Amino acid sequence: MRKLPPLNAVRTFEAAARHVSFTKAAEELLVTHGAVSRQVALLEDWFGVKLFRRAPSQLTLTAAGQIYYREVTAILDRLALASMDMKQYGSPSVLRVSAPPTFAMRWLIRRISSFQRMRADVELRLLTSIGPLNVNDRSFDVAIRGNVGEPVGWMSQHFMTELIAPVCHVDLLTRGRLATPDDLRHHTLITYLTEPYDWPRWLAQAGGEMSADQETLRFEQMFFALQATIERIGIGLFPLFLVIDELMAGQLCLPFGDLGLRKREYRSFYLADNESAGAIADFTAWLADAGRETEQFMMDWGTSKGWSF
């Protein structure tokens, strides 16, 4: 028998930790602020450990809360993916969405329930891929890719601008030698095959260059590179919207602040000549709204730190 904590309390904790706010978690889960507080307290009693520090004007995760949030997020993401895969055995009314795996796990899945509430008649099937788009591919209805410009043969709609920056665990700052980009030579630079903005390019724009003996660690996918960064192995270049939760929780940081930010567009690509055209239009409109909401959320957070985007 698995000894599991109250699962509704776990789901509530994840939402509260992701937003670092009981109020925003309550809005997402369609419950009251008090209900969120009670569920979190129930989970804390079950563990016998505090997960949040509560102050009159500020809510922060404890060290235990940060560890549990990281593990719970990964588990819920995997559960969501497995559950969406199972939906193919249900209703045949399916809208097939192709997206990169890390983007799907860390951004899309966490927001997709609002589209499902809006179009309960549409079953979403999420397909993950990092491959290039083929104009003759009819295995999906909507494909989400990071891209600058519009591929030939595709209709595209911009829905979010990426802000890419060096990201590291906060513990690396306490070790010193990260005052300027030149100090990166003392650290391992983490890279990955799908990297949208590579280190040589970033260093050149920051007024430096890649050292010939620079220590690097390369991964196939962004998800593994991000996990290595969380584990304090080195410093990676990541889109801000994919790491904003860890940044707000104080687990990760931008060692050079807003000076390290670089902009790049994300676009949605879609087919509009099939029987799901109505669902496609609704989904891409929802995607654009969700992208604007995320951009505003990041801007508000940056402004609170005195940054300029």
Side-chain angles (χ1 to χ4, degrees):
M1 292 285 294
R2 294 185 178 91
K3 190 174 182 180
L4 298 175
L7 297 183
N8 190 47
V10 171
R11 179 170 176 257
T12 302
F13 162 76
E14 190 277 335
R18 174 159 36 87
H19 291 293
V20 199
S21 168
F22 285 2
T23 300
K24 291 183 178 179
E27 292 173 356
E28 175 183 320
L29 300 174
L30 302 177
V31 298
T32 65
H33 181 284
V36 171
S37 181
R38 287 191 294 273
Q39 288 295 322
V40 171
L42 176 65
L43 194 60
E44 290 177 326
D45 289 343
W46 197 86
F47 287 127
V49 64
K50 290 295 183 184
L51 300 172
F52 288 98
R53 296 186 188 91
R54 299 163 175 83
S57 60
Q58 187 176 23
L59 182 72
T60 58
L61 285 163
T62 64
Q66 291 180 20
I67 293 171
Y68 194 60
Y69 169 64
R70 183 171 69 244
E71 297 298 329
V72 163
T73 298
I75 291 169
L76 291 180
D77 285 345
R78 290 197 296 272
L79 178 60
L81 276 173
S83 300
M84 292 186 72
D85 285 344
M86 289 302 297
K87 286 193 172 185
Q88 65 180 298
Y89 299 104
S91 170
S93 178
V94 173
L95 179 64
R96 302 160 300 170
V97 180
S98 171
T102 306
F103 173 85
M105 292 182 68
R106 297 187 63 85
W107 190 87
L108 185 57
I109 288 176
R110 298 179 183 183
R111 292 162 176 81
I112 214 164
S113 60
S114 65
F115 174 77
Q116 291 177 311
R117 288 193 296 270
M118 181 178 72
R119 286 295 305 266
D121 60 312
V122 175
E123 296 287 346
L124 284 172
R125 182 180 301 173
L126 184 58
L127 314 169
T128 57
S129 173
I130 59 174
L133 297 178
N134 182 341
V135 72
N136 296 316
D137 190 351
R138 292 295 186 267
S139 65
F140 53 80
D141 303 298
V142 180
I144 302 172
R145 295 291 189 274
N147 194 74
V148 178
E150 184 170 327
V152 176
W154 293 87
M155 298 174 63
S156 68
Q157 178 180 334
H158 167 260
F159 77 94
M160 187 156 51
T161 298
E162 289 183 325
L163 295 171
I164 299 171
V167 176
C168 69
H169 195 282
V170 292
D171 287 356
L172 293 190
L173 293 184
T174 64
R175 302 176 190 175
R177 295 201 295 187
L178 258 179
T180 70
D182 286 339
D183 294 329
L184 289 170
R185 67 181 184 275
H186 303 299
H187 296 268
T188 299
L189 300 185
I190 296 174
T191 68
Y192 45 99
L193 291 180
T194 56
E195 195 169 47
Y197 203 98
D198 61 30
W199 278 111
R201 184 180 175 191
W202 185 91
L203 283 164
Q205 293 195 352
E209 61 181 359
M210 196 83 162
S211 172
D213 59 351
Q214 175 70 57
E215 184 175 353
T216 61
L217 182 60
R218 188 173 180 84
F219 292 91
E220 181 180 7
Q221 293 189 17
M222 185 193 301
F223 180 81
F224 301 115
L226 179 55
Q227 190 61 41
T229 302
I230 291 173
E231 298 298 334
R232 308 170 178 82
I233 293 175
I235 304 172
L237 281 171
F238 300 103
L240 189 61
F241 73 91
L242 291 182
V243 295
I244 190 67
D245 295 337
E246 286 79 7
L247 291 170
M248 293 190 67
Q251 181 183 19
L252 297 179
C253 66
L254 306 185
F256 309 116
D258 58 335
L259 297 178
L261 292 172
R262 301 291 181 268
K263 289 187 177 181
R264 179 178 181 270
E265 288 188 345
Y266 232 102
R267 292 178 179 268
S268 64
F269 301 98
Y270 56 96
L271 302 175
D273 59 351
N274 59 28
E275 60 185 11
S276 300
I280 289 174
D282 287 344
F283 182 81
T284 52
W286 169 84
L287 195 64
D289 288 341
R292 283 191 293 269
E293 182 179 298
T294 298
E295 287 182 325
Q296 187 61 53
F297 181 74
M298 292 189 298
M299 185 173 295
D300 291 344
W301 177 75
T303 299
S304 71
K305 301 178 73 65
W307 292 355
S308 175
F309 291 96

